[in-house]
Amino acid sequence: MPATTLSIPTPDGQSDAFAACPDEGGTHPGVLLYPDAFGPRPVLWEMARELAGHGYYVLVPNVFYRHRPAPVFDLPEQITAEDRPVLFGQIMPLIEAHTTERALSDAGAYLGFLTAQPEVSAGPVATIGYCMGAVLAMRTATAHPDKVAAVAGFHPGALVTDQPDSAHRQIPSLTAQVHLGLAENDMTPEAITEISHAFDAAGVGYSCEIYPGTVHGFTMADTDAYDPAGSKRHWERLLPLLGSALT
């Protein structure tokens, strides 16, 4: 798949990004893919290429661009449980600095850039995300209901919190179709019930599924959380969602 590194103008500077698209030319539906907490890196770029192979233009922004370009962190080739404490000592300050205000500012810039690309067809796009990226995907979809027709989150971060700006509190403005693919301990039963009620009240089509036998991070092949069956299921849920919402 043709792929390139791009620079996206934002109110706070230039966000580096990776893009992949089909190689047959023409225009294709756009997908904004938000990475997990480890940031954009080869495994995410490979996932973007795979998705592009199914007919989509996929943009993977570096949400930590205010700090440094991707790859943001010096990661081992395979991330193990033993690596995580030190890594998250570096990662958490950047996550905490990525406020809702910054996320929404960036979302507008990313969507504007994505929809302006000559390879992207007219019409709505999808936002998808992994871990913290699932929260960003949901925030983007709820803030831009006129532009986002599908949103998917896998092993999501905290979609339901007691904070006033919790992502689930913005769901009343959502119009997109939704799929959430959860690891077994990603969300409490109470949180699943609360977000399901929000989707029901918004009147959107959605599915919220616990993928059996998985742990948080199950789609990421460069971590010891990776689960081949869970990753396969994630593609089996994601591709039909995109196919139905973006055609």
Side-chain angles (χ1 to χ4, degrees):
M1 297 297 104
T4 186
T5 300
L6 303 168
S7 182
I8 302 174
T10 79
D12 289 339
Q14 298 287 323
S15 173
D16 54 303
F18 176 89
C21 64
D23 56 11
E24 66 264 24
T27 60
H28 313 277
V31 176
L32 178 59
L33 189 162
Y34 285 109
D36 64 357
F38 295 121
R41 59 194 191 282
V43 69
L44 268 300
W45 300 330
E46 186 56 39
M47 292 168 75
R49 289 189 182 96
E50 183 167 350
L51 187 53
H54 291 277
Y56 301 96
Y57 180 103
V58 186
L59 183 67
V60 186
N62 173 19
V63 301
F64 297 134
Y65 70 89
R66 293 174 180 84
H67 304 276
R68 59 189 74 92
V72 180
F73 307 104
D74 184 14
L75 301 172
E77 186 172 331
Q78 195 71 17
I79 302 167
T80 68
E82 290 73 23
D83 297 317
R84 290 174 184 266
V86 171
L87 288 173
F88 273 93
Q90 305 169 35
I91 292 169
M92 286 309 299
L94 274 63
I95 292 176
E96 291 165 0
H98 197 64
T99 61
T100 299
E101 181 181 11
R102 284 184 168 184
L104 293 177
S105 174
D106 288 347
Y110 295 153
L111 286 178
F113 184 90
L114 175 63
T115 56
Q117 298 311 296
E119 301 91 347
V120 175
S121 54
V125 303
T127 60
I128 65 177
Y130 302 85
C131 180
M132 64 168 275
V135 180
L136 300 177
M138 185 66 70
R139 291 198 187 283
T140 302
T142 55
H144 299 274
D146 57 326
K147 294 181 179 179
V148 180
V151 56
F154 300 96
H155 42 87
L159 289 168
V160 177
T161 74
D162 59 3
Q163 297 301 307
D165 64 350
S166 176
H168 83 288
R169 300 188 194 280
Q170 314 310 314
I171 287 174
S173 64
L174 187 70
T175 60
Q177 298 180 47
V178 181
H179 176 71
L180 297 180
L182 311 178
E184 290 191 342
N185 295 315
D186 275 334
M187 295 175 71
T188 65
E190 294 77 14
I192 292 173
T193 297
E194 187 163 354
I195 201 167
S196 296
H197 285 166
F199 289 138
D200 288 333
V204 298
Y206 74 97
S207 56
C208 185
E209 179 182 0
I210 298 173
Y211 291 14
T214 59
V215 298
H216 185 76
F218 59 81
T219 63
M220 295 296 149
D222 62 348
T223 77
D224 59 4
Y226 180 66
D227 182 86
S231 178
K232 181 174 182 289
R233 186 184 294 254
H234 126 272
W235 288 114
E236 291 171 349
R237 299 298 186 266
L238 176 60
L239 294 173
L241 173 70
L242 299 181
S244 65
L246 301 185
T247 56

